Amino acid sequence: MAETGAPENGPQHVAIIMDGNGRWAQNRGRPRLFGHQAGASRVREIVAACPDLGIRYLTIFAFSTENWKRTQAEVTGLMTLFRRYITKEAQALLKQGVRVRFIGDRDRLEPKLVDLMNELEELTAGNDLVHMTVAINYGGRDEVARATKRMAHEVAAGRINPDDVDAETLARFLDTCVLPDPDLVIRTSGEARISNFLLWQSAYAEYEFTPILWPDFTRDHFAEIVARYANRERRYGGVKV
Ligand code: IPE
Ligand code: IPE
Ligand code: MG
């Protein structure tokens, strides 16, 4: 790691809202799906950069619970792209030491895709260098609602005392229960909003918004943002002494 100079106070967990694929394609007079394909091929370089940047956890937003509102052609195209991506990248991810996890509600996803997601999770379960989490059919509110439902069942079954419920109890039921909270959330494409991404987990995350469209986002852009993070002062509501 030494040769690349991973920042000393660098983020352990970076989450990325990969936005701007549609506009990138439009700018070239091409269909939106062309942008999604270009976007998918960017992921490899960003994942590969993580070890050198000292990033142990990378979480990427691929499809939100609201993205079903898009045309059927776009949604179907994206689902096909996810299947192809998993099939194509599985061996490379395994060799790179990447452990892949998926978050989001799998119930609405086609069974073929869910099978591939499960297989990739199993295939890479022994890896520990980079923990990559892909959010598909993920929404922060939906996640909290599903977690609350599961917790309510435990309460109803008498395994949890309602008076003992606190934030930590609920967090154990979130899709992200095994992950640390993100330190840094990056959104590409110039939009300054979170669009329902990791609402609970990002309570004290640092945010970076860059105008670069996701298919143009390179390892150098990534490294520059990560380096800037090291200069930030995180207070968590306290006062620096
Ligand atoms: C992000 O790019 C990818 C997904 C939401 C699936 P967009 O498709 O939202 O691209 P823009 O925002 O329309 O440019
Ligand atoms: C957020 O981007 C979701 C993903 C990047 C997967 P959107 O493009 O869906 O968000 P809005 O609609 O601009 O808020
Ligand atoms: Mg968008």
Side-chain angles (χ1 to χ4, degrees), residues 17-231:
I17 303 174
M18 309 182 290
D19 197 15
N21 296 348
R23 276 163 285 173
W24 185 90
Q26 254 157 18
N27 292 344
R28 286 161 179 74
R30 303 293 299 267
R32 295 180 60 83
L33 218 47
F34 181 67
H36 294 313
Q37 281 157 0
S41 58
R42 285 280 89 217
V43 174
R44 184 188 275 219
E45 182 178 317
I46 298 306
V47 179
C50 286
D52 285 349
L53 296 173
I55 298 164
R56 189 104 193 284
Y57 295 87
L58 177 75
T59 299
I60 54 177
F61 203 5
F63 191 90
S64 78
T65 46
E66 287 72 39
N67 287 147
W68 299 104
K69 290 179 197 160
R70 299 185 177 197
T71 64
Q72 218 205 318
E74 185 170 352
V75 169
T76 308
L78 280 164
M79 295 301 150
T80 305
L81 190 62
F82 297 149
R83 287 204 312 272
R84 289 208 186 123
Y85 179 85
I86 293 173
T87 311
K88 199 170 138 234
E89 296 293 321
Q91 287 305 319
L93 290 162
L94 179 65
K95 286 202 197 92
Q96 279 177 295
V98 180
R99 178 170 185 172
V100 184
R101 295 183 178 88
F102 294 92
I103 54 170
D105 186 359
R106 299 181 194 200
D107 287 355
R108 199 173 163 185
L109 299 175
E110 50 189 47
K112 254 194 305 184
L113 173 59
V114 176
D115 286 347
L116 288 169
M117 288 158 60
N118 289 331
E119 283 167 25
L120 186 56
E121 285 184 335
E122 276 170 39
L123 179 74
T124 61
N127 280 345
D128 192 38
L129 184 65
V130 176
H131 294 249
M132 170 164 96
T133 302
V134 187
I136 301 185
N137 192 25
Y138 175 87
R141 287 182 173 180
D142 179 68
E143 181 193 29
V144 172
R146 285 185 291 105
T148 306
K149 190 198 267 192
R150 286 200 289 269
M151 192 179 72
H153 279 295
E154 293 298 298
V155 170
R159 287 190 285 268
I160 293 178
N161 178 345
D163 291 328
D164 291 341
V165 173
D166 57 14
E168 191 270 320
T169 320
L170 184 61
R172 289 207 306 266
F173 292 88
L174 294 172
D175 296 350
T176 53
C177 59
V178 297
L179 305 175
D181 285 342
D183 301 298
L184 173 64
V185 178
I186 300 170
R187 183 172 188 146
T188 58
S189 92
E191 313 295 347
R193 53 176 175 260
I194 49 177
S195 302
N196 209 2
F197 189 45
L198 300 176
L199 294 181
W200 174 286
Q201 298 84 346
S202 299
Y204 269 101
E206 301 291 325
Y207 282 88
E208 282 271 355
F209 300 98
T210 165
I212 314 266
L213 304 175
W214 174 253
D216 291 328
F217 192 73
T218 64
R219 180 198 170 97
D220 288 346
H221 296 126
F222 190 38
E224 191 192 310
I225 290 175
V226 168
R228 233 188 345 258
Y229 168 92
N231 299 323

